[in-house]
Amino acid sequence: MRTRAVALQVFILALVAPISGATAFAREVEISWQLEHPTVGLHEPILVKFRANNHSNNAIVIDLGNNSKENMQFTIKSEDGKLLNVARLNFSDGISFPGAVSLKPGDDYEQKVVMSEWYVFSVPGTYRIEAQFLDETLPISDTANELILEITPRDSSHLTEICERLAKQAIETSIYVDADLAATALSYVDDPVAVPFMERVLRESFHGKWRAIEGLARIADPAAADALVAALRNSDELTRARVVGALFAIASATRDPKLKERIEVAIRPFVGADVLRQ
């Protein structure tokens, strides 16, 4: 079943108090959301485009939240309306960057995000996603913003093509935002076919290494662990520390005693013996 891309709009009106007797004026901002592909195969990346347009005659500032994502919320429902999750990211721990964006009159701002950062769709089916922008500095209405997403059965060959393209973008793109988006999308392909492409990004990418480490840690199978072990030999100190952390997490969670032992042997030079005994 094919679905059409849905652009969803919220018109935000705020009255600004007059200054020195000037006439009050209205400020209008248009927020829209759109699925890049409303139909995707299982485990394929799901990209959502956020767009803000300033239609007023006044400069405004919108706040996307920490890491330009924290003020985005997605409510996921099944096709029959059953609530599955209300997802909002929280970057209170660790390093984060402010997400304020200034828009001059007539300006617009676009940003793509990877839906799997909020929610992982693990089974095929049709889903209803309500996208909401939570900038508390602007009086946003509760108008429904619904996107319709269809997840079709897994297509191994198509998934491989997607992983190859994303790895190439993550490695060859010099612009950080674009490289990071490609690496993030690849890192959320929770499928064994993605492992060699994540390994390549970890080995060859400048901007996407840490995303690849996160993705391999999520897959956590023997091939992913081997890719991380290989990276221990040729990584800078900071990257190596992240690799060790990812391997430790895999070893702690796995029920495979041989995999656990192999990982512990690999990371023993980098961690204390007391850590491995925990």
Side-chain angles (χ1 to χ4, degrees):
M1 172 179 138
R2 293 182 59 85
T3 58
R4 63 181 184 275
V6 183
L8 303 157
Q9 300 180 341
V10 179
F11 290 95
I12 306 165
L13 297 176
L15 292 180
V16 180
I19 301 174
S20 301
T23 304
F25 58 92
R27 183 174 66 183
E28 186 181 87
V29 181
E30 178 187 350
I31 304 295
S32 64
W33 305 82
Q34 186 174 13
L35 288 165
E36 183 173 71
H37 299 290
T39 300
V40 299
L42 187 65
H43 298 164
E44 293 175 14
I46 301 163
L47 297 182
V48 179
K49 183 169 70 175
F50 168 87
R51 185 183 180 97
N53 302 84
N54 181 11
H55 295 303
S56 76
N57 295 322
N58 311 289
I60 63 166
V61 176
I62 62 172
D63 184 9
L64 299 167
N66 289 333
N67 292 337
S68 297
K69 298 174 184 176
E70 201 170 49
N71 283 345
M72 298 178 181
Q73 178 174 287
F74 297 96
T75 300
I76 298 93
K77 299 179 181 180
S78 62
E79 186 176 18
D80 61 5
K82 179 182 178 181
L83 179 64
L84 300 177
N85 200 0
V86 178
R88 183 180 182 185
L89 301 180
N90 186 336
F91 296 104
S92 58
D93 296 329
I95 299 174
S96 62
F97 303 94
V101 177
S102 298
L103 295 178
K104 297 177 181 178
D107 278 359
D108 57 52
Y109 172 82
E110 284 189 6
Q111 176 180 329
K112 290 182 180 179
V113 296
V114 180
M115 184 72 215
S116 295
E117 289 195 78
W118 285 262
Y119 183 79
V120 176
F121 296 86
S122 57
V123 296
T126 301
Y127 297 87
R128 295 162 54 188
I129 304 169
E130 182 180 303
Q132 191 173 4
F133 179 49
L134 303 176
D135 183 354
E136 297 177 356
T137 66
L138 297 173
I140 301 175
S141 70
D142 292 328
T143 304
N145 306 292
E146 191 174 76
L147 303 167
I148 305 299
L149 172 68
E150 183 179 1
I151 307 290
T152 59
R154 179 179 178 272
D155 183 336
S156 179
S157 60
H158 190 232
L159 190 57
T160 300
E161 291 174 3
I162 291 173
C163 290
E164 184 175 14
R165 173 174 53 81
L166 290 172
K168 181 179 176 66
Q169 291 174 350
I171 293 167
E172 297 182 0
T173 303
S174 60
I175 300 173
Y176 170 77
V177 172
D178 295 337
D180 182 66
L181 178 65
T184 301
L186 177 62
S187 77
Y188 278 97
V189 177
D190 191 9
D191 192 287
V193 304
V195 169
F197 300 101
M198 293 184 193
E199 182 177 17
R200 184 185 168 203
V201 170
L202 176 54
R203 186 175 61 248
E204 301 179 27
S205 170
F206 179 76
H207 296 300
K209 292 181 184 295
W210 291 6
R211 296 291 191 183
I213 294 169
E214 294 166 359
L216 290 166
R218 275 189 285 270
I219 293 176
D221 66 3
D226 288 344
L228 289 166
V229 168
L232 289 172
R233 298 188 292 270
N234 301 301
S235 297
D236 60 83
E237 186 174 350
L238 286 176
T239 301
R240 187 182 301 116
R242 287 190 170 244
V243 170
V244 170
L247 284 167
F248 184 80
I250 294 174
S252 300
T254 186
R255 296 182 179 181
D256 182 342
K258 292 183 179 179
L259 177 60
K260 184 181 182 70
E261 182 180 5
R262 191 158 77 245
I263 291 174
E264 289 181 349
V265 169
I267 66 175
R268 186 171 289 122
F270 306 101
V271 300
D274 55 333
V275 174
L276 293 177
R277 285 196 295 268
Q278 292 180 2

